[in-house]
Amino acid sequence: IVPPELRGTSEATTRQIRHAAESAVRPIRETRMLREHAGKKEGVDWLVANGDLALEEFDLEEVVDVLAESGLPVLVVLGNSESKGSWARAYGDRVGKYPNLVNGTWIRQIVAYDVEFWTVSGYHDKRYVHQGAGCLYKTEHVDQMQTLTPNGKAPVVLVTHGPPLGKGKSALDWITDKKNVGDPQLNTLIQKKG
């Protein structure tokens, strides 16, 4: 993610990290194309799936298989569409077969060679969680992240499904109801830790 010549330098934290993003639930063929594209990119070290991978359990299993088959480390956090139970079963059934699969719903801080991930799964506002068993994070989950300390010189990447609270219609959290719905707690976290 960070070129070797920049590791440990201040420029490393200002360089853009190469990524492939999945913005919403997609057909499995598109997920395969995303994986293949990421696998061909020089310097791609991780696949990060930040939620809304599938609405149904069987689809979730297939998406996880496709991503994990890349051989790259795959970090998964849940969005506001997946069921926590479906994810727990899919992960539990696959972790032995795919040791590259990282469950970001259980771990808040993941320290790798050239990147550090801080994770929070789900969404902060129950009104936008699409399933009864969906993943809703609480204030204390973000509070736990306030106690984290970066573990080295690698850049810290916040991985969460929902964005911080934005301002105006060009912000990531602007919805069709003409309002911003991001989490102000994430703004505070970024300001204090940023």
Side-chain angles (χ1 to χ4, degrees):
I1 292 176
V2 177
E5 67 274 12
L6 294 176
R7 289 187 182 135
T9 69
S10 61
E11 187 179 350
T13 60
T14 59
R15 292 283 300 259
Q16 182 175 357
I17 295 173
R18 292 183 214 187
H19 67 283
E22 181 121 7
S23 61
V25 175
R26 302 250 183 225
I28 194 66
R29 72 185 179 306
E30 289 183 31
T31 302
R32 279 193 182 97
M33 288 187 308
L34 175 68
R35 180 204 62 203
E36 289 166 13
H37 175 73
K40 292 176 185 174
K41 287 280 216 178
E42 184 179 319
V44 173
D45 296 321
W46 283 80
L47 293 179
V48 177
N50 69 330
D52 284 2
L53 302 177
L55 297 174
E56 302 296 332
E57 186 165 343
F58 294 115
D59 295 333
L60 179 62
E61 292 170 349
E62 190 172 3
V63 168
V64 170
D65 287 340
V66 166
L67 295 173
E69 287 166 0
S70 70
L72 292 167
V74 178
L75 170 60
V76 178
V77 298
L78 298 182
N80 56 334
S81 294
E82 298 92 356
S83 156
K84 292 181 290 188
S86 293
W87 166 243
R89 284 186 292 278
Y91 177 76
D93 291 347
R94 283 156 181 76
V95 68
K97 182 178 180 181
Y98 301 115
N100 57 317
L101 190 58
V102 180
N103 187 344
T105 63
W106 291 347
I107 304 168
R108 293 276 176 254
Q109 183 177 24
I110 301 158
V111 179
Y113 175 71
D114 57 357
V115 67
E116 182 171 332
F117 297 108
W118 291 8
T119 68
V120 62
S121 275
Y123 204 71
H124 75 284
D125 189 332
K126 188 175 184 174
R127 295 175 295 174
Y128 301 105
V129 175
H130 300 299
Q131 297 196 32
C135 191
L136 177 71
Y137 69 82
K138 299 176 182 173
T139 301
E140 55 263 25
H141 297 137
V142 178
D143 288 346
Q144 289 171 351
M145 296 175 79
Q146 296 283 6
T147 66
L148 297 178
T149 301
N151 190 358
K153 296 179 180 179
V156 174
V157 178
L158 177 62
V159 180
T160 180
H161 178 67
L165 181 63
K167 292 182 182 178
K169 62 183 177 181
S170 62
L172 290 173
D173 65 333
W174 183 258
I175 63 170
T176 56
D177 291 348
K178 300 186 183 200
K179 61 184 176 180
N180 296 96
V181 295
D183 185 357
Q185 246 194 310
L186 294 178
N187 297 64
T188 303
L189 175 70
I190 291 167
Q191 289 169 354
K192 286 184 178 179
K193 295 292 186 173

